[in-house]
Amino acid sequence: MIPPEVLPYLLLVPMLLVGILFGRMIKARIRPADSASPADPLSPHLGEQLRLAETEQVAMQDQLAQLQKSTAAARRQIDAADREYAQLLTIMDERRASIASARQDFQAARQPSAEESRQTEELLGEIDRSMEELDMLTSMKENYDVKTIRLTQQVHWQESELRLLRQTVKARTAEIEEARALL
């Protein structure tokens, strides 16, 4: 079974291959226009290819905008997780202080009287509850750490997709400019 954090990287390889194949298909479409006779520079076929390339460029720009929105949303999720993580750390510190205080109270209450024994039992119960809460908070912290790592990996993956799309857009723009220069 493939770990979920590796999945974005595995999806990147087929996307790169599709992008390369797509680029070669575009190049193959434009090349015959390059060999057109100099007497006929405004060939209708070249104009059609230019329109197709411009349409593809617009579509890629739309995809880039969508990916940028997704990246921004993932960053907002990471920020929210970080804020929640900071709050949990504060709560955990308060619980630890409470536990330390309860332990001090327990040490002070170690008198052999019945009243003090009852109070000691109550303090022990509070310590147990606090320890359970501390364990629960620690578990929640670990879960948020995993979520933060996953979101960070998603952001990195989306950033690499954005870089790839930017490169593709630049290549398409250059091809369009070359086609325009030929016209």
Side-chain angles (χ1 to χ4, degrees), residues 76-126:
R76 285 192 299 273
Q77 288 177 344
I78 289 172
D79 290 342
D82 286 344
R83 284 191 299 275
E84 190 169 352
Y85 176 72
Q87 290 173 346
L88 289 173
L89 286 178
T90 303
I91 291 170
M92 191 174 3
D93 289 342
E94 291 171 358
R95 297 295 183 192
R96 283 184 179 158
S98 172
I99 289 170
S101 174
R103 284 185 179 152
Q104 288 174 354
D105 292 344
F106 173 72
Q107 293 299 328
R110 291 186 85 166
Q111 302 290 329
S113 73
E115 179 62 25
E116 291 173 342
S117 294
R118 185 187 59 76
Q119 289 176 351
T120 301
E121 291 299 322
E122 289 177 5
L123 287 174
L124 285 173
E126 285 181 23

Side-chain angles (χ1 to χ4, degrees), residues 29-175:
R29 286 184 186 169
I30 291 176
R31 274 206 188 124
D34 291 342
S35 63
S37 70
D40 186 22
L42 297 174
S43 125
H45 183 67
L46 182 60
E48 183 180 326
Q49 286 181 346
L50 182 60
R51 283 189 298 278
L52 284 173
E54 288 173 342
T55 303
E56 290 171 9
Q57 181 182 9
V58 169
M60 286 183 178
Q61 287 173 341
D62 290 343
Q63 283 180 332
L64 178 63
Q66 286 292 67
L67 285 172
Q68 287 172 337
K69 287 178 185 176
S70 298
T71 302
R75 285 189 177 135
R76 285 192 299 273
Q77 288 177 344
I78 289 172
D79 290 342
D82 286 344
R83 284 191 299 275
E84 190 169 352
Y85 176 72
Q87 290 173 346
L88 289 173
L89 286 178
T90 303
I91 291 170
M92 191 174 3
D93 289 342
E94 291 171 358
R95 297 295 183 192
R96 283 184 179 158
S98 172
I99 289 170
S101 174
R103 284 185 179 152
Q104 288 174 354
D105 292 344
F106 173 72
Q107 293 299 328
R110 291 186 85 166
Q111 302 290 329
S113 73
E115 179 62 25
E116 291 173 342
S117 294
R118 185 187 59 76
Q119 289 176 351
T120 301
E121 291 299 322
E122 289 177 5
L123 287 174
L124 285 173
E126 285 181 23
I127 289 172
D128 288 341
R129 284 189 299 277
S130 296
M131 291 300 284
E132 289 172 6
E133 289 177 5
L134 182 61
D135 289 341
M136 182 185 72
L137 288 172
T138 303
S139 173
M140 289 174 67
K141 176 196 170 293
E142 290 170 1
N143 288 338
Y144 281 111
D145 285 345
V146 168
K147 287 179 183 178
T148 301
I149 289 169
R150 282 186 195 144
L151 288 171
T152 302
Q153 288 173 344
Q154 287 177 356
V155 167
H156 289 302
W157 177 68
Q158 288 178 349
E159 286 176 347
S160 67
E161 283 184 344
L162 285 174
R163 272 189 244 110
L164 178 64
L165 283 172
R166 284 185 184 127
Q167 290 172 355
T168 305
V169 167
K170 284 181 183 177
R172 297 296 177 255
T173 303
E175 289 174 9

